Amino acid sequence: AQSVSQHNHHVILSEAASLELGCNYSYGGTVNLFWYVQYPGQHLQLLLKYFSGDPLVKGIKGFEAEFIKSKFSFNLRKPSVQWSDTAEYFCAVNAKGGATNKLIFGTGTLLAVQP
Amino acid sequence: DAGVTQSPTHLIKTRGQQVTLRCSPKSGHDTVSWYQQALGQGPQFIFQYYEEEERQRGNFPDRFSGHQFPNYSSELNVNALLLGDSALYLCASSLGTRAYNEQFFGPGTRLTVL
């Protein structure tokens, strides 16, 4: 069965701390990978995506993620978080050769950054 | 340039009732997908509409149905509401249905079933 696992449900950090959010997927084929973010009171928006090529991808607001195929992982990182990074983060995948661009999401990680 | 819009914002229904949620895609987009996000969970794919047809469906019962209009807007209908249907319903639009076509999400409709 297709699934996405996010290991941390709730993370609390102080400003300037480093962030790493885990994401693993289970899928019987090649996938595209995404991280979405939902800031308080706002809609889901794309943070970054990986389709092919360099497994280290950079997104908006200083975020990056690394695709490790052998580990079926796509962890999100940021060297130094800010209070404004407080949000819920979702990892998602879709099938490269799928009939549609349907997304399969993880359960999300709620990040709280303390000033 | 308007993004994805959804109406209503909030809705309260009782068990057994029927509900219709509406979505207008981002300007220029022709594909609409619907997702259900229960509390504490990630969004789950319900179905996708393209060219006024349902193209793919997730693991949801037939009580969930939809429609896409010629102007690409879409409706999600849920019949015989259950308490478990309480959730945030998200609409996402894209230009095309290919895996590389980015989906843009609306703010959602919060449905509460009492």
Side-chain angles (χ1 to χ4, degrees), chain B residues 51-63:
Chain B
E51 292 186 335
E52 302 181 49
E53 290 186 1
E54 183 182 293
R55 293 292 172 149
Q56 191 173 19
R57 188 180 185 91
N59 189 24
F60 281 81
D62 291 346
R63 298 186 298 107

Side-chain angles (χ1 to χ4, degrees), chain A residues 32 34 36 38 43-44 46 49 51 90 94-96 99-103 105-107, chain B residues 35 37 40-43 45 48 56 94 96-103 105-107:
Chain A
N32 297 315
F34 307 82
Y36 280 83
Q38 188 166 28
H43 55 271
L44 267 175
L46 184 65
K49 60 190 176 187
F51 287 168
F90 293 93
N94 69 13
K96 272 198 188 298
T100 71
N101 52 356
K102 151 191 164 181
L103 290 164
F105 285 88
T107 52
Chain B
Y35 292 81
Q37 186 177 9
Q41 301 295 318
F45 177 78
Q48 182 177 89
Q56 191 173 19
S94 58
T97 64
R98 298 295 185 95
Y100 54 77
N101 295 135
E102 181 181 342
Q103 293 192 39
F105 285 82

Side-chain angles (χ1 to χ4, degrees), chain B residues 60-104:
Chain B
F60 281 81
D62 291 346
R63 298 186 298 107
F64 289 76
S65 63
H67 188 77
Q68 186 180 35
F69 299 93
N71 67 352
Y72 308 119
S73 67
S74 177
E75 287 182 350
L76 164 65
N77 301 292
V78 187
N79 294 323
L81 284 166
L82 303 173
L83 295 179
D85 296 331
S86 294
L88 180 67
Y89 288 85
L90 298 171
C91 171
S93 74
S94 58
L95 178 57
T97 64
R98 298 295 185 95
Y100 54 77
N101 295 135
E102 181 181 342
Q103 293 192 39
F104 291 77

Side-chain angles (χ1 to χ4, degrees), chain A residues 28 41 49 57 61 63 66 70 72-74 80 84-85 89 97 101 103 105 112-113:
Chain A
K49 60 190 176 187
V57 293
K61 304 187 179 185
F63 285 90
E66 184 176 13
S70 61
F72 300 94
S73 71
F74 190 56
S80 176
S84 58
D85 293 325
Y89 294 80
N101 52 356
L103 290 164
F105 285 88
V113 180

Side-chain angles (χ1 to χ4, degrees), chain A residues 42-96:
Chain A
Q42 296 187 27
H43 55 271
L44 267 175
Q45 54 187 285
L46 184 65
L47 201 53
L48 49 77
K49 60 190 176 187
Y50 174 77
F51 287 168
S52 63
D54 187 345
L56 184 62
V57 293
K58 295 190 185 300
I60 59 172
K61 304 187 179 185
F63 285 90
E64 64 179 31
E66 184 176 13
F67 171 49
I68 303 179
K69 190 175 180 180
S70 61
K71 295 185 178 180
F72 300 94
S73 71
F74 190 56
N75 292 354
L76 181 70
R77 299 194 292 247
K78 186 171 184 179
S80 176
V81 295
Q82 301 173 320
W83 177 79
S84 58
D85 293 325
T86 294
E88 190 157 20
Y89 294 80
F90 293 93
C91 181
V93 303
N94 69 13
K96 272 198 188 298

